[in-house]
Every structure is written in structure tokens, then in C-alpha cells.
Amino acid sequence: MKDCIQIFVLYFCVGILSPSQAQSNLLNSKTPEEYRELAQNAPEDQKPLPYGYVDDRDILWSKTVWEVIDLDERINFPLYYPVDTVALDASRRSLYDVLVKNIKNGNLEGVYVDSYFSEKRAFEDLQATLTKIDTTDLGIQALNAGEPVPQEYITRRDITAADIEQFLIKGMWYFDKRLGELKYRLLGLAPVAPDVNFIDDDSIDPEENKVPLFWVWYPGAREILHNAKVYNPKNPSNPISFDMLLNARRFNATIYREDNEYGDRDIKDYIVDNALFQLLESNRIKEAIRDKEQDMWSY
């Protein structure tokens, strides 16, 4: 009995100390530059844990759902912050910044127009969605007079991480009869922000002005999101990755669409102007999915 207690204490101590040992070299840095380099290149697996192979014959039942992640909710803050990165290290970025940076440099190619991933987009094709370039009244007067427009009369408005209000995700719930359990596979995600053409127009209803900027094929973005870390408030020395956070569903989301015979219509299309009933319908779909696993074992 005494030996068992000693073994348990040993394993407990190893589990407590292992996160701090992973970045112990940080404390031995001689210069700020060395500290930043070690922080950005902390020892970590370079590839995410691969998904297990799922044969079509193993899927006894499946349901595709679309959900919205509201970034105003505290549990979803890790996906939103930081929005001001001037004074922060390069390893601290929001999910939107990570996506846009890798789309821009060509590392992330699985970018599409909609959630059905039917039409691909390059970063140059997204400029009209992410940036608004306008001319002031004085610039228009100079243009009408045939004069060159001074640079100060041209305004540029870019969508930034601070403008992102929601994330849309698409995923499939399925019952794996080989494992005998209900599982979830994330397929795509999209940042949602006000339309850049009307982002500063107070006459437009903010709720009607939200648009998904682009859709990302999630399986193709896993390696990028695995290397991007999320601040861990419970243990800052052991951050997790965006890939771990999303696959573990460490966020709160509301279903707004499911695959159905009506062309995958949104809940708001058949429950109009009633937010309470829309939320109840979303919860009904969620509970029906959860009950499916129990129903599979009922005879």
C-alpha cells in the first residue's frame, strides 16, 4: 500500500512539473531576443494529431450542422483576443489574424466563397471583402476638376481582428458503429464582420450588416492552427493550440442551420422575427443529436 502511494505521488509530481519543464530554457535566456526566440519556438509537435480513418460503412447515422460562435461571450474570448498586437509577442495572435496572415503568404490555400466549398478564392480575390478604399468630397472635387487627387483625400478602411464579431463553423455529427459512439468532425469555419462598404454607416442595422468574409476548409488548416497558440489563463506556461481548442469544442456555439430537405434553410427562414423560438429550435436540434447516441443503444 505504501509503495502504491509513493508511485501515485511520483506520477502526480511529474504531471505538475512537466509543463514548466517544457519551457524551462526561457528562464535561462541571456537577452530579450533569445527569450522571444525561445518563446516562439517552444518544443512542440509540429503536426497535429491526425484524425482516425472513418470508412463510409462505419457511419451508421450523420447530421451536418452550421453553428455561430458569438465572440461577445466570455468563453469565446480566446478566439477573439488579442486585437491590439503592437506591444505583444508575435506568438500571441487572434484566430482571425492567424488565418489572414497565412492566406496572405500562401500557406493557407483552402479558402472558399461559401460553406459548400464550391468556389476557391485567393488573397487577391478577397481584397474587395477585406478593404474599402474611398475618396473624400475634396478628392472628388479635385477629380472633377481634372486635377490629381492628393493622397490625403483617399481613405482606406481595413477589416481588423477588432471588427470580427462571430465565427461560423460547419461540422458533422456521426455515429461510428465500429467504436459505438457519437463523434464530431469540424469541416469549415468563417470569420464574420460588418460589410466593409457600410462598416461606419450608422443608418444600417448592425444585425443585418454582418457577412462571412470567407470560408476555410478546416482539415487543410489544421497544421497552421496547431502551430498557433492560444493563451491559457489557467497555466500561461503551457498554452494550447487553436486546433486543440476547436477540436475539443472549448467554445459555446448556437446551431443556425442543419441539412434538410428544404435546401438546408436557416432556422430564421422558417421561424421569422422571434429570437426566443429560434433559440428553442436550435436547442431542439442539439438535443436531438445528443439523444441519437442513446437511441442507438435502445432496443
Side-chain angles (χ1 to χ4, degrees):
M1 182 66 180
K2 183 178 180 181
D3 293 340
C4 293
I5 294 176
Q6 290 176 346
I7 293 174
F8 173 78
V9 172
L10 176 62
Y11 275 108
F12 179 78
C13 293
V14 170
I16 292 295
L17 294 176
S18 57
S20 61
Q21 291 174 351
Q23 291 192 2
S24 58
N25 287 333
L26 287 174
L27 303 180
N28 300 322
S29 304
K30 300 298 188 297
T31 63
E33 291 76 14
E34 184 180 356
Y35 180 89
R36 286 195 295 269
E37 183 178 356
L38 289 172
Q40 295 176 25
N41 301 288
E44 187 71 34
D45 295 334
Q46 294 303 310
K47 292 186 178 294
L49 184 67
Y51 291 139
Y53 178 74
V54 181
D55 193 277
D56 289 340
R57 294 172 295 181
D58 295 331
I59 301 178
L60 189 61
W61 171 89
S62 67
K63 168 70 71 173
T64 301
V65 295
W66 288 256
E67 300 171 89
V68 55
I69 302 174
D70 191 347
L71 297 183
D72 281 339
E73 298 184 35
R74 182 175 296 274
I75 192 175
N76 299 329
F77 281 177
L79 298 173
Y80 179 70
Y81 290 104
V83 295
D84 185 5
T85 58
V86 175
L88 290 178
D89 197 78
S91 60
R92 295 280 305 277
R93 292 294 182 265
S94 67
L95 177 57
Y96 174 76
D97 280 336
V98 171
L99 294 175
V100 171
K101 174 186 175 182
N102 285 277
I103 294 173
K104 189 175 182 178
N105 61 26
N107 292 336
L108 182 56
E109 298 180 351
V111 181
Y112 296 83
V113 175
D114 55 30
S115 61
Y116 295 98
F117 312 108
S118 57
E119 187 176 350
K120 211 166 186 180
R121 281 287 184 264
F123 182 75
E124 293 75 16
D125 303 325
L126 299 175
Q127 288 298 311
T129 306
L130 304 179
T131 304
K132 173 187 176 183
I133 299 177
D134 202 358
T135 305
T136 64
D137 293 339
L138 293 176
I140 294 176
Q141 292 177 10
L143 187 64
N144 292 335
E147 301 173 357
V149 180
Q151 191 64 33
E152 60 266 22
Y153 294 158
I154 298 177
T155 61
R156 179 188 177 98
R157 178 67 163 90
D158 294 314
I159 295 291
T160 65
D163 298 317
I164 305 302
E165 300 181 3
Q166 299 171 342
F167 274 96
L168 304 182
I169 60 173
K170 176 184 179 181
M172 176 185 290
W173 289 96
Y174 63 95
F175 186 84
D176 191 327
K177 66 180 181 181
R178 181 172 58 88
L179 299 177
E181 62 179 338
L182 185 69
K183 305 191 73 175
Y184 178 78
R185 181 70 59 86
L186 183 59
L187 300 177
L189 75 159
V192 177
D195 189 332
V196 70
N197 297 301
F198 308 101
I199 192 169
D200 298 318
D201 190 348
D202 296 333
S203 64
I204 304 295
D205 184 2
E207 293 299 321
E208 299 295 332
N209 195 32
K210 297 178 183 178
V211 294
L213 303 178
F214 51 82
W215 277 88
V216 173
W217 172 247
Y218 185 79
R222 289 194 64 207
E223 187 169 341
I224 291 171
L225 297 179
H226 175 74
N227 294 324
K229 303 305 177 185
V230 182
Y231 180 77
N232 185 356
K234 295 185 178 180
N235 187 2
S237 67
N238 188 30
I240 64 173
S241 68
F242 279 111
D243 181 63
M244 294 171 60
L245 184 145
L246 291 169
N247 276 305
R249 290 187 64 88
R250 293 175 59 173
F251 55 80
N252 185 49
T254 303
I255 296 174
Y256 71 92
R257 182 195 300 175
E258 64 172 335
D259 54 348
N260 53 58
E261 65 272 26
Y262 303 104
D264 299 346
R265 64 181 180 179
D266 291 355
I267 292 177
K268 65 180 182 180
D269 292 336
Y270 60 92
I271 301 179
V272 184
D273 297 334
N274 195 320
L276 175 58
F277 279 21
Q278 291 172 3
L279 183 60
L280 292 175
E281 174 68 4
S282 174
N283 289 335
R284 184 197 66 79
I285 297 173
K286 183 183 297 185
E287 290 302 320
I289 294 173
R290 289 177 176 174
D291 292 343
K292 202 68 180 180
E293 183 174 20
Q294 180 66 29
D295 294 343
M296 292 295 179
W297 294 102
S298 301
Y299 299 94

